[in-house]
Amino acid sequence: MRSIYLVLRYPDVRAAVDFLCSAFGFTLREAHELPDGTIGHAELAYGGDLVMLGPGPAPRSRPADDDYRVYVALDDVDAHHERARAAGAEIVRAPFDTDYGSRDYAARDLAGLVWSFGTYRP
């Protein structure tokens, strides 16, 4: 049973769901629409993990390229990078090898948040 869930806020949750599924390979698990047709709560799955999305303002300032808020462990960094790039994600750091044996890259989502992807699994 999970105990900790990442919650991210986006000005347009529907656009965020579409982008995160297209660019980063998430799968929509659940979405709750508000009376005005916007999404008030969404759950996206990645493997056996889950992230929740809700409405909220865009970040007040654009995070620095190395200000990662989310790290997703995956097996094929280069293929994932290509998928994200092809879907229009802003790549802030191309795939690289770390000194601790991980292969990583970083991309910015449509709200400006920086996501880090790599092979390191704590």
Side-chain angles (χ1 to χ4, degrees), residues 10-67:
Y10 290 92
D12 183 341
V13 178
R14 189 176 308 280
V17 166
D18 292 344
F19 177 84
L20 295 172
C21 290
S22 172
F24 297 159
F26 284 88
T27 303
L28 178 62
R29 182 175 159 208
E30 194 168 324
H32 300 276
E33 286 192 8
L34 299 173
D36 66 1
T38 61
I39 295 177
H41 174 81
E43 297 173 5
L44 301 182
Y46 192 90
D49 296 311
L50 184 75
V51 61
M52 296 188 291
L53 308 182
R60 289 186 191 109
S61 63
R62 183 176 168 96
D65 288 352
D66 63 351
D67 188 8

Side-chain angles (χ1 to χ4, degrees), residues 6 8 63 67-71 113-116:
L6 177 65
L8 298 172
D67 188 8
Y68 310 135
R69 297 303 169 129
V70 182
Y71 180 85
L113 300 176
V114 181
W115 293 64
S116 180

